[in-house]
Amino acid sequence: GAGVSQSPSNKVTEKGKDVELRCDPISGHTALYWYRQRLGQGLEFLIYFQGNSAPDKSGLPSDRFSAERTGESVSTLTIQRTQQEDSAVYLCASSLAGQPSTDTQYFGPGTRLTVL
Amino acid sequence: AQSVTQLGSHVSVSEGALVLLRCNYSSSVPPYLFWYVQYPNQGLQLLLKYTSAATLVKGINGFEAEFKKSETSFHLTKPSAHMSDAAEYFCAVSDNGGSNYKLTFGKGTLLTVNP
């Protein structure tokens, strides 16, 4: 079956521009996660959606970052007024629910964002 | 907050040799622990996870990891390396309590396998 897909795979933008990254989770997965991976670093948790519950936004690094999810489907991560330090690979993952004991987070291939 | 330390950003082994990738976590309460692998140009894939059912966890592709509470470690091993094991490996730990869906990852260890 189809896995998690993300688009675009690569995005080059100029400093100060807004960007929108898209994630299509596995069908039927109620939980969706966004992570950021800077060069030479581990993945950083950004935000978590679970069904119709209020998202956990505790990992968003600044108010320039926001994310939305429509129901249990597509999610978009928006970065406003991009800065060079936003350059990273942005990874999306989904799981059946938010239970690490029984669920597995399935990751997409990521979007590589470069801010010039 | 949780933290994960992976000793060695790069490990090189010969084909057929033992693979040992080290991971230490910081937590007073054993959380859930994971090893993920990332092959070139692919997304992260779960290798194995510890959920307190057994301290020795077996995963895919012949990998296993042992949870040692006294050492706060969760090292990944494979008895005999194969060329196809060349990839980057990430150790991760979940938060405790109600936010246990939130994973903290180590910086990764790049494994190269020499013929």
Side-chain angles (χ1 to χ4, degrees):
Chain A
V4 178
S5 60
Q6 293 186 244
S7 60
S9 56
N10 280 284
K11 177 72 177 177
V12 180
T13 190
E14 294 179 348
K15 178 181 173 181
K17 300 278 190 180
D18 296 353
V19 295
E20 194 171 275
L21 312 180
R22 177 186 169 107
C23 172
D24 284 85
I26 294 172
S27 178
H29 282 192
T30 64
L32 186 146
Y33 317 74
W34 282 98
Y35 294 87
R36 177 172 70 175
Q37 185 178 22
R38 289 172 162 167
L39 189 64
Q41 303 295 314
L43 281 70
E44 304 170 71
F45 167 84
L46 296 179
I47 189 168
Y48 164 75
F49 295 91
Q50 170 55 50
N52 295 317
S53 302
D56 178 349
K57 304 179 181 181
S58 61
L60 295 179
S62 77
D63 59 7
R64 296 187 294 105
F65 287 72
S66 63
E68 293 184 349
R69 186 182 188 194
T70 306
E72 295 182 354
S73 60
V74 172
S75 175
T76 55
L77 177 68
T78 302
I79 308 173
Q80 295 178 310
R81 306 181 301 282
T82 52
Q83 304 294 313
Q84 288 183 330
E85 61 263 28
D86 299 334
S87 295
V89 177
Y90 290 82
L91 292 157
C92 176
S94 71
S95 68
L96 273 174
Q99 300 298 323
S101 59
T102 54
D103 294 344
T104 295
Q105 292 188 27
Y106 294 89
F107 284 80
T111 293
R112 182 175 298 278
L113 174 67
T114 303
V115 182
L116 301 176
Chain B
Q2 296 283 5
S3 69
V4 176
T5 303
Q6 290 186 241
L7 291 175
S9 59
H10 187 192
V11 170
S12 183
V13 300
S14 298
E15 191 173 19
L18 171 72
V19 175
L20 171 60
L21 305 182
R22 299 177 187 275
C23 173
N24 288 86
Y25 65 93
S26 66
S27 174
S28 58
V29 177
Y32 301 116
L33 293 154
F34 308 81
W35 276 99
Y36 278 86
V37 60
Q38 187 172 31
Y39 297 105
N41 301 314
Q42 295 186 28
L44 275 77
Q45 178 182 359
L46 181 69
L47 266 182
L48 50 80
K49 65 179 177 183
Y50 166 77
T51 60
S52 78
T55 57
L56 182 63
V57 183
K58 295 187 183 297
I60 61 171
N61 301 337
F63 284 93
E64 62 183 37
E66 186 171 9
F67 170 72
K68 292 187 176 180
K69 182 179 177 181
S70 60
E71 299 177 7
T72 59
S73 70
F74 191 57
H75 301 330
L76 181 71
T77 60
K78 181 173 180 177
S80 176
H82 192 273
M83 297 295 290
S84 61
D85 295 327
E88 189 154 24
Y89 292 79
F90 294 91
C91 181
V93 60
S94 66
D95 273 13
N96 295 315
S99 61
N100 60 7
Y101 49 80
K102 193 183 303 184
L103 301 187
T104 299
F105 285 79
K107 293 184 179 182
T109 297
L110 182 64
L111 175 68
T112 58
V113 181
N114 303 309

